[in-house]
Amino acid sequence: LSADTGINVATLRVDTLHCLYLGVFQAHCSAVVWALIDADVWRTASTGHTSAIERLQESCIRLQADLHAWSLQEARARPAEPMTMVQEFTPKTLGDRNAQQCKLKGGETKTLMSFLQSFLAAHEGSVPNAVHMLAAGAAFDRHIRLLKAAGHRLTKAEIHEFAETQHTALANLAKYAKLSPKCHQWLHCGRIAMGNQSAPQP
């Protein structure tokens, strides 16, 4: 950062990998997975896993198996669409209930998020806030597709969709997860895309 190079705070930009895939999307995924574990959708308690640690470990094993089967099915159904397989999913990936995390790579996070959108829909009645989680997940998916299809300069219609998907995602995310500084960074992406227009607040 110096006058000689022309690089200053105004030239810095937020990138989608660190802001979304390793930030906002991981906050969503960790909250959804913990909600599924708390709802015991894998019925770990009924199979003799009575302690919280045992249930967490067994839930991760079941999730890994379901995720792997889903990923193979999706790869066969959409061979032209690249997919990053999640190599390992353990309790260490999730942190703990009071310090939730999702320690995956960016591509793995995208795969997990798509899987959770499908899996959660099948267990919607058992998971508190599932309606908000599904709404946020759908908005995230629309946002990803928009960024992938858009050119270097967004059209007015694309700017509108950018703001709409961002607002929908954050408004719903706030119902079940703590909004992080990266959520704030994402709003700045919207303001940059819209020039001097203000991004809607969730």
Side-chain angles (χ1 to χ4, degrees), residues 11-164:
T11 64
L12 300 178
R13 290 294 181 266
V14 178
D15 68 283
T16 55
L17 172 61
H18 294 90
C19 180
L20 294 179
Y21 291 95
L22 300 178
V24 180
F25 295 168
Q26 289 193 344
H28 164 75
C29 287
S30 64
V32 172
V33 172
W34 274 108
L36 291 168
I37 292 172
D38 288 340
D40 198 19
V41 299
W42 288 284
R43 301 178 183 274
T44 59
S46 64
T47 55
H49 300 87
T50 55
S51 73
I53 294 177
E54 289 177 339
R55 289 174 60 185
L56 174 60
Q57 291 173 334
E58 184 64 18
S59 293
C60 287
I61 291 172
R62 301 284 186 88
L63 186 153
Q64 172 101 38
D66 289 338
L67 174 58
H68 184 70
W70 177 88
S71 298
L72 291 178
Q73 182 178 356
E74 286 293 301
R76 288 193 294 267
R78 299 174 179 81
E81 189 168 327
M83 175 182 291
T84 302
M85 300 288 284
V86 177
Q87 298 301 313
E88 185 179 39
F89 203 99
T90 67
K92 187 177 180 180
T93 307
L94 289 175
D96 59 55
R97 187 171 281 96
N98 297 321
Q100 298 177 10
Q101 62 182 21
C102 183
K103 292 190 68 174
L104 295 175
K105 297 177 181 178
E108 292 177 324
T109 301
K110 181 181 179 182
T111 299
L112 176 63
M113 187 166 66
S114 297
F115 161 76
L116 290 175
Q117 191 70 4
S118 173
F119 188 80
L120 179 60
H123 300 277
E124 183 177 355
S126 304
V127 180
N129 290 316
V131 171
H132 296 295
M133 293 172 178
L134 289 169
F140 288 143
D141 182 67
R142 281 180 58 198
H143 197 82
I144 291 171
R145 294 181 185 280
L146 167 66
L147 293 178
K148 186 176 180 180
H152 293 295
R153 185 180 295 275
L154 300 182
T155 65
K156 288 185 178 180
E158 289 170 339
I159 289 173
H160 177 77
E161 185 174 4
F162 188 108
E164 181 185 4

